[in-house]
């Protein structure tokens, strides 16, 4: 993946350093915008995934970069703490069910099902490509940090995400078929430059929880909320793409999620999060915090996208080819 264009002083300092050999990194100061903050974080987090073209892998644990990342994470966490989170409860699975059944945010999936244009669907897929081309990877970080029933349940979900070990059935690969049908680039990270801060923030949330052992409970809550709110929206996305002329191959990614996530939501809420909360009750609140964060940030992102479309504007920073 090519390093993206900077969006402010912090992301500029980070990208400028990474094209050089590892060296002492001087703190560049404060980000000047959400775009600068979240692009810098995204670039730093990607060092723990597949890395960047031409960037020395030794940068991954360079102390100056880790120090900067920690400071940027504090800014991000301060934003997350603004979300209202239920008090810890004894019955975490049913608390998750209640949270994920609440409505009130804008229905992006409903809009896409019945009203989105071909170009708007292409934009939607462009936003989602940043995650879907590495789908399941952030949550896999939790596996070695768990034990017992919670670990087994997470692995059961992840096995499906990775296609049961069959390459062409991996959800990452299925999404490439959707991108091809939309005449979009299937390269990993191809659209980082064109997506806004709200999209990068949703991806950074997973990495924040995934890369810190202390947030293992929040990562499970994040995954559970994803799985528990997936079936209906993915049905809408698939039907919306069919309305626009998408064939069986183009919609397979969404259709697969309708079927798989109907099972995953029970496993994630009860077997995974329920077992985890029982084994580590002091972290039950973190599970609910992770769920609230993803639900609130997805609402924030959907509101942004729908607002741009309602104004007759693109939801991306740059026009698609």
């Amino acid at each position: 993946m090519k390093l993206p264009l900077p969006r402010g002083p912090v992301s500029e300092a980070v990208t400028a350093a990474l094209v050089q050999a590892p060296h002492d990194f001087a703190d560049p100061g404060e980000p000047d915008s959400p775009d600068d903050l979240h692009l810098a974080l995204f670039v730093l987090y990607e060092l723990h995934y597949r890395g960047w073209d031409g960037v020395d892998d030794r940068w991954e644990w360079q102390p100056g970069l880790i120090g900067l990342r920690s400071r940027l994470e504090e800014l991000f966490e301060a934003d997350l703490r603004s979300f209202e989170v239920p008090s810890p409860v004894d019955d975490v699975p049913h608390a998750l069910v209640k949270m994920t059944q609440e409505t009130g945010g804008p229905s992006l999936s409903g809009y896409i099902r019945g009203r989105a244009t071909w170009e708007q669907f292409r934009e939607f897929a462009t936003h989602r490509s940043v995650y879907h081309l590495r789908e399941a990877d952030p949550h896999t970080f939790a596996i070695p940090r768990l034990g017992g029933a919670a670990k087994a349940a997470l692995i059961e979900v992840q096995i499906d995400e990775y296609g049961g070990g069959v390459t062409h059935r991996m959800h990452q690969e299925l999404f490439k078929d959707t991108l091809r049908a939309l005449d979009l680039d299937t390269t990993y990270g191809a659209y980082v430059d064109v997506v806004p801060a709200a999209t990068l923030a949703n991806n950074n949330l997973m990495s924040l929880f995934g890369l810190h052992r202390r947030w293992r409970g929040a990562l499970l809550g994040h995954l559970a909320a994803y799985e528990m709110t997936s079936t209906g929206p993915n049905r809408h996305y698939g039907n919306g793409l069919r309305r626009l002329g998408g064939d069986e191959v183009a919609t397979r990614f969404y259709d697969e999620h309708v079927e798989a996530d109907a099972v995953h939501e029970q496993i994630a809420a009860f077997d995974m999060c329920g077992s985890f909360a029982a084994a580590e009750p002091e972290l039950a609140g973190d599970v609910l915090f992770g769920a609230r964060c993803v639900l609130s940030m997805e609402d924030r992102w959907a509101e942004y996208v729908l607002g741009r479309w309602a104004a007759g504007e693109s939801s991306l920073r740059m026009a698609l080819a």
Side-chain angles (χ1 to χ4, degrees):
M1 184 156 59
K2 295 180 180 179
L3 280 169
L5 298 172
R7 304 184 191 180
V10 177
S11 54
E12 183 173 12
V14 169
T15 54
L18 290 180
V19 297
Q20 305 173 45
H23 58 269
D24 290 340
F25 179 79
D27 194 308
E30 298 299 310
D32 65 0
S33 66
D35 267 303
D36 190 29
L37 167 66
H38 283 290
L39 181 64
L41 263 181
F42 187 89
V43 170
L44 294 173
Y45 283 147
E46 183 58 31
L47 295 171
H48 301 286
Y49 289 95
R50 303 189 199 179
W52 299 98
D53 293 349
V55 173
D56 193 312
D57 286 341
R58 289 175 295 176
W59 273 113
E60 181 180 5
W61 296 108
Q62 200 281 330
L65 285 187
I66 295 298
L68 172 62
R69 198 189 83 185
S70 296
R71 193 166 59 77
L72 297 179
E73 287 174 336
E74 290 177 0
L75 297 175
F76 188 19
E77 286 186 36
D79 180 29
L80 299 176
R81 294 295 183 185
S82 68
F83 299 136
E84 184 178 349
V85 181
S87 300
V89 295
D90 294 333
D91 191 347
V92 165
H94 285 97
L96 287 170
V97 171
K98 181 179 179 181
M99 289 174 64
T100 55
Q101 288 178 345
E102 295 172 352
T103 57
S107 179
L108 178 60
S109 64
Y111 179 91
I112 287 177
R113 177 193 61 198
R115 298 177 57 192
T117 65
W118 179 257
E119 284 305 315
Q120 287 172 339
F121 201 104
R122 291 182 80 233
E123 287 190 12
F124 166 71
T126 298
H127 287 285
R128 289 305 202 194
S129 70
V130 181
Y131 168 59
H132 286 322
L133 290 179
R134 69 179 181 196
E135 185 168 340
D137 293 350
H139 299 109
T140 298
F141 281 115
I143 291 176
R145 296 168 178 165
L146 303 175
K151 183 172 191 168
L154 174 57
I155 290 172
E156 184 175 356
V157 171
Q158 296 299 80
I159 285 173
D160 284 345
E161 300 291 336
Y162 291 120
V166 179
T167 301
H168 71 270
R169 292 177 54 196
M170 293 172 61
H171 291 181
Q172 299 172 7
E173 297 299 316
L174 292 178
F175 193 68
K176 290 181 180 180
D177 292 334
T178 300
L179 293 177
R180 293 187 190 98
L182 295 166
D183 197 24
L184 292 171
D185 194 338
T186 63
T187 306
Y188 178 83
Y191 293 113
V192 171
D193 267 327
V194 307
V195 299
T199 303
L200 295 178
N202 281 346
N203 285 271
N204 286 341
L205 180 66
M206 292 178 247
S207 297
L208 171 68
F209 292 158
L211 292 171
H212 291 274
R213 183 177 179 275
R214 68 187 177 94
W215 283 124
R216 60 193 180 279
L219 185 63
L220 296 188
H222 182 289
L223 176 58
Y226 247 18
E227 299 296 331
M228 296 169 73
T229 57
S230 173
T231 302
N234 275 294
R235 182 179 291 110
H236 292 338
Y237 301 145
N239 289 338
L241 186 50
R242 271 184 282 272
R243 175 180 58 81
L244 295 167
D247 61 14
E248 180 182 353
V249 174
T251 64
R252 185 179 297 140
F253 172 83
Y254 302 111
D255 297 337
E256 168 68 19
H257 280 76
V258 171
E259 181 177 346
D261 292 349
V263 177
H264 288 174
E265 62 182 83
Q266 298 299 315
I267 298 172
F270 292 88
D271 299 338
M272 184 178 73
C273 290
S275 297
F276 176 80
E280 301 191 59
E282 70 279 8
L283 298 181
D286 286 352
V287 176
L288 302 183
F289 175 69
R292 173 56 66 206
C293 285
V294 64
L295 294 171
S296 298
M297 291 190 66
E298 283 288 316
D299 283 348
R300 180 188 289 179
W301 173 76
E303 183 177 359
Y304 169 83
V305 171
L306 289 172
R308 294 294 293 264
W309 288 349
E313 300 173 348
S314 171
S315 63
L316 301 173
R317 300 179 68 247
M318 306 175 191
L320 292 172

